[in-house]
Amino acid sequence: MAEKSTLDWIALVLVIIGGLNWGLFGISQDLNLVALIFGYSIIARIVYILVGLSALYMVYYATKK
C-alpha cells in the first residue's frame, strides 16, 4: 500500500469531520458541529468548501491506481 501524503491525511480528516457533522445533524437537526465551533461566519463557509473539496479528492484517491 502506498504512503499517504500530507494532502491525503488533511483530506481524510476533513472528510471525517464532514461525515461526523452530517451524522450529528441527522440525529438532531439542531446540532451542527461546524456552526457550533465557528458560528455562521465566512470561516464556517470555508470549512464547508474545504470538506466538499476533500470529498472530491477522496473520490479521486479511492479510484487512482
Side-chain angles (χ1 to χ4, degrees), residues 2-5 7-9 11-12 15 51-65:
E3 287 276 328
K4 288 182 179 51
S5 70
L7 180 61
D8 297 339
W9 283 109
L12 180 62
V15 167
V51 167
L53 290 173
S54 296
L56 291 174
Y57 180 78
M58 285 289 112
V59 170
Y60 161 76
Y61 182 79
T63 59
K64 75 177 185 178
K65 290 186 180 182

Side-chain angles (χ1 to χ4, degrees), residues 5-59:
S5 70
T6 303
L7 180 61
D8 297 339
W9 283 109
I10 291 170
L12 180 62
V13 167
L14 285 169
V15 167
I16 290 170
I17 290 169
L20 290 173
N21 193 48
W22 275 106
L24 289 171
F25 188 76
I27 292 169
S28 168
Q29 291 183 352
D30 297 328
L31 190 56
N32 182 338
L33 186 61
V34 175
L36 282 174
I37 295 171
F38 299 110
Y40 290 100
S41 65
I42 189 69
I43 296 171
R45 291 191 60 158
I46 291 169
V47 169
Y48 290 131
I49 291 167
L50 290 174
V51 167
L53 290 173
S54 296
L56 291 174
Y57 180 78
M58 285 289 112
V59 170

